[in-house]
Amino acid sequence: MARAATTSDAFNAIAEPRRRAILTLLVARERPVNEIVSELKLDQPSVSKHLRVLRDVGLVRVRCDGRQKFYRTQAEAIRPLHEWAATFERYWSHQLNRVKERAERAAAQESKSTPHTGGKDDD
Amino acid sequence: MARAATTSDAFNAIAEPRRRAILTLLVARERPVNEIVSELKLDQPSVSKHLRVLRDVGLVRVRCDGRQKFYRTQAEAIRPLHEWAATFERYWSHQLNRVKERAERAAAQESKSTPHTGGKDDD
DNA sequence: ACATTACATGCCCATATCGGAATATGTCAA
DNA sequence: TTGACATATTCCGATATGGGCATGTAATGT
């Protein structure tokens, strides 16, 4: 087997930096393809292919008007990502708290004696 | 060119479902490799390879003790992902609000006449 | 009808991937 | 030293990718 298809998942789809750029560009308002091309300075077939991937995983929607197609980010599709990442939030808070506490202890010590070896801490 | 390396980015690294599983498993407490193997029912070389990728992008840290290596999720490394996704939060809220408003208007109308064509709404 | 505009798709190629199996490295124990 | 245990790395093959370029298709204008 090889890597999972880019279209298999929102996680796989957003791994590509240009696709993230496209999503960012299209979140505020819909835009026709040529505008994405000129704005991000990619060539048109490339943009179309990226849009295809994003479309396949529901990260963008299209509205057709004459010969133009207006794409727009489907923000809800990013939510699962956000929620998955949020799962880890309390843990990085923990770590930050530990760092903070240590800094505070160090500062308290600093004003008394200036030691060079801190107390024995985890991580 | 091919797809960007899995080790090029946290975004690329977490595209793989098993790597996400590993991160989830290792966030609460550190574990030796064999425990990851038995817990997730993957074979050992596979786990070692995934850990290598995660390590390369700073998503896990290792502590060596004798012949064992204890891995643990480095939660901070997931933060950029969370923040990138959070960028879109207000937009999916918007959409939800619009849906909600429409539902409320519809409900209000419902109690009066039961029309079949709503007002002209965007999206 | 014909040219032009706006996108989408197809083809080729170099590359990185993941799985599987084997093997290498490193540590402890007898 | 020899052997068992814990983990890492390597080689292989199949596959999907993204860039570049050409071509296809649909809608508009003249």
Side-chain angles (χ1 to χ4, degrees), chain B residues 2 5-6 16 18-19 43 45-46 49-50 66-67:
Chain B
T6 55
E16 169 64 53
R18 277 116 188 183
R19 283 197 286 265
D43 46 36
S46 182
K49 285 182 211 167
H50 285 313
R67 52 185 152 184

Side-chain angles (χ1 to χ4, degrees), chain B:
Chain B
M1 219 178 285
R3 228 200 281 201
T6 55
T7 55
S8 59
D9 215 274
F11 286 94
N12 280 280
I14 65 152
E16 169 64 53
R18 277 116 188 183
R19 283 197 286 265
R20 290 200 298 278
I22 290 175
L23 289 175
T24 298
L25 182 65
L26 298 180
V27 71
R29 59 184 170 85
E30 67 176 14
R31 299 190 196 237
V33 178
N34 63 31
E35 203 172 318
I36 307 173
V37 169
S38 57
E39 205 73 26
L40 300 182
K41 292 175 181 170
L42 301 171
D43 46 36
Q44 179 268 315
S46 182
V47 170
S48 277
K49 285 182 211 167
H50 285 313
L51 287 171
R52 178 85 165 109
V53 173
L54 293 172
R55 210 161 116 70
D56 283 354
V57 297
L59 280 164
V60 297
R61 303 191 73 195
V62 210
R63 182 178 65 85
C64 300
D65 181 42
R67 52 185 152 184
Q68 292 187 298
K69 300 202 176 178
F70 293 84
Y71 283 86
R72 185 179 181 176
T73 299
Q74 186 71 13
E76 299 177 44
I78 299 176
R79 235 183 145 173
L81 285 159
H82 187 255
E83 278 163 9
W84 180 81
T87 295
F88 299 86
E89 193 166 9
R90 63 177 297 256
Y91 292 98
W92 74 62
S93 301
H94 270 188
Q95 292 178 219
L96 289 182
N97 288 343
R98 283 212 296 273
V99 169
K100 208 165 137 192
E101 284 166 17
R102 197 182 314 169
E104 282 160 4
R105 279 197 304 273
Q109 281 299 108
E110 185 67 26
S111 60
K112 293 171 54 178
S113 65
T114 315
H116 276 192
T117 61
K120 44 172 97 58
D121 248 89
D122 49 331
D123 80 333

Side-chain angles (χ1 to χ4, degrees), chain A residues 17-73:
Chain A
R18 278 115 189 183
R19 283 197 286 265
R20 290 200 299 278
I22 291 174
L23 289 175
T24 298
L25 182 64
L26 298 181
V27 71
R29 58 183 171 84
E30 66 177 14
R31 299 190 197 238
V33 177
N34 63 32
E35 203 171 320
I36 307 173
V37 169
S38 58
E39 204 73 26
L40 301 182
K41 291 173 182 171
L42 301 172
D43 45 37
Q44 179 266 314
S46 183
V47 170
S48 277
K49 285 181 206 167
H50 284 314
L51 287 171
R52 177 85 164 109
V53 173
L54 293 172
R55 210 162 117 69
D56 282 355
V57 296
L59 280 165
V60 297
R61 301 191 74 195
V62 211
R63 182 178 65 86
C64 300
D65 181 43
R67 51 183 153 186
Q68 293 188 297
K69 300 201 177 177
F70 293 85
Y71 282 86
R72 185 178 181 176
T73 299

Side-chain angles (χ1 to χ4, degrees), chain A residues 82-98:
Chain A
H82 187 256
E83 278 163 10
W84 181 81
T87 296
F88 298 86
E89 193 167 8
R90 63 177 297 255
Y91 292 97
W92 74 62
S93 300
H94 271 188
Q95 291 178 221
L96 289 181
N97 287 343
R98 283 212 296 272

